[in-house]
Amino acid sequence: MRMAMTKARISVSHSMDYFKTRWRIFLIGAFFISGLISGSLIVGGYSETSETALDVVISGFIDVRTGQSILTTFYNSLVSTVPLLIITFILGLCAIGVPFIPFISVFRGLGLGISMGYLYAFQGLKGIGYCALIIIPPAIVSSIAIILACKEALRFSSIIFMSMTSKGNKTGKIPDMKKYCLRFCVFLFLLIAAAIIDACFSSAFSRFFVF
């Protein structure tokens, strides 16, 4: 009985330590998922037969992608994700950026939730196929990049805030700007990879979907 209790305490202790060292990624991930869910719930308030702004935007988005070139799709994909990375980078350099950074992942999740939720709800199997072949593959890569960028910005902003307090001055902990910039370069490369995937998959499969 005592051994079982000891093992349980050790397991709980390990779980707590694991969470303490990775709480930022869990927090950002939770905000991202909440955005996905919120986007799906927003779609639930629309009627399939009504002419809403959501219908026009998503239908127009699909129609445009069907006829555009690979380079145009690549460019548009970058335009939709790189600004989020830039904003995250800037917030990470602010001592008061911590409360705002998680909402970048919410915004990313919200956009994906709305678009995929609409296609699932109103286009049936065709919408599911469109999401599986065109939206989800690049979204996985770009979302990972945004989530990791938010986590890094959260860490960096926290260090800056602590360095401005008396406690931070005593420890002498100075943020490593070079490492911060290098990591965001990696995140940028991930977004470029996602845009390439987006362009290739859209070029290969979008012609098979007519909504």
Side-chain angles (χ1 to χ4, degrees):
M1 183 68 177
R2 289 182 179 179
M3 288 187 63
M5 292 181 64
T6 302
K7 289 182 179 180
R9 289 174 182 173
I10 293 174
S11 178
V12 171
S13 178
H14 286 169
S15 299
M16 292 298 294
D17 290 340
Y18 183 85
F19 181 78
K20 285 179 181 178
T21 57
R22 295 168 176 82
W23 67 269
R24 293 184 184 90
I25 197 71
F26 285 119
L27 177 66
I28 298 299
F31 272 79
F32 175 76
I33 292 173
S34 69
L36 277 175
I37 295 173
S38 298
S40 300
L41 293 176
I42 288 172
V43 172
Y46 287 86
S47 171
E48 184 178 6
T49 58
S50 63
E51 277 295 321
T52 63
L54 184 61
D55 299 317
V56 174
V57 170
I58 294 182
S59 297
F61 167 79
I62 294 173
D63 291 340
V64 168
R65 287 175 71 90
T66 301
Q68 68 188 11
S69 66
I70 293 180
L71 287 178
T72 302
T73 304
F74 173 79
Y75 171 78
N76 289 338
S77 182
L78 282 181
V79 167
S80 68
T81 55
V82 170
L84 294 179
L85 187 69
I86 293 173
I87 294 172
T88 305
F89 178 84
I90 294 172
L91 287 175
L93 299 177
C94 301
I96 58 172
V98 171
F100 307 102
I101 292 169
F103 290 98
I104 300 295
S105 63
V106 172
F107 183 81
R108 176 61 177 165
L110 188 66
L112 290 174
I114 289 175
S115 58
M116 291 193 297
Y118 178 87
L119 289 168
Y120 286 157
F122 300 138
Q123 300 300 333
L125 291 176
K126 191 186 296 184
I128 293 174
Y130 189 90
C131 289
L133 293 174
I134 298 176
I135 293 181
I136 292 178
I140 290 174
V141 179
S142 61
S143 296
I144 289 174
I146 296 298
I147 290 171
L148 291 177
C150 288
K151 178 235 179 189
E152 177 62 20
L154 198 64
R155 183 192 68 84
F156 202 77
S157 179
S158 299
I159 293 174
I160 293 176
F161 179 80
M162 292 301 296
S163 68
M164 295 176 65
T165 65
S166 57
K167 182 179 179 180
N169 290 330
K170 289 178 182 178
T171 59
K173 194 171 185 179
I174 301 174
D176 190 340
M177 186 66 184
K178 181 178 179 181
K179 186 180 292 185
Y180 182 73
C181 292
L182 287 175
R183 288 178 177 175
F184 267 82
C185 286
V186 174
F187 303 145
L188 177 60
F189 286 135
L190 285 176
L191 293 184
I192 292 173
I196 293 173
I197 295 171
D198 191 4
C200 293
F201 277 57
S202 293
S203 177
F205 300 114
S206 62
R207 72 190 74 174
F208 300 115
F209 296 94
V210 179
F211 297 101

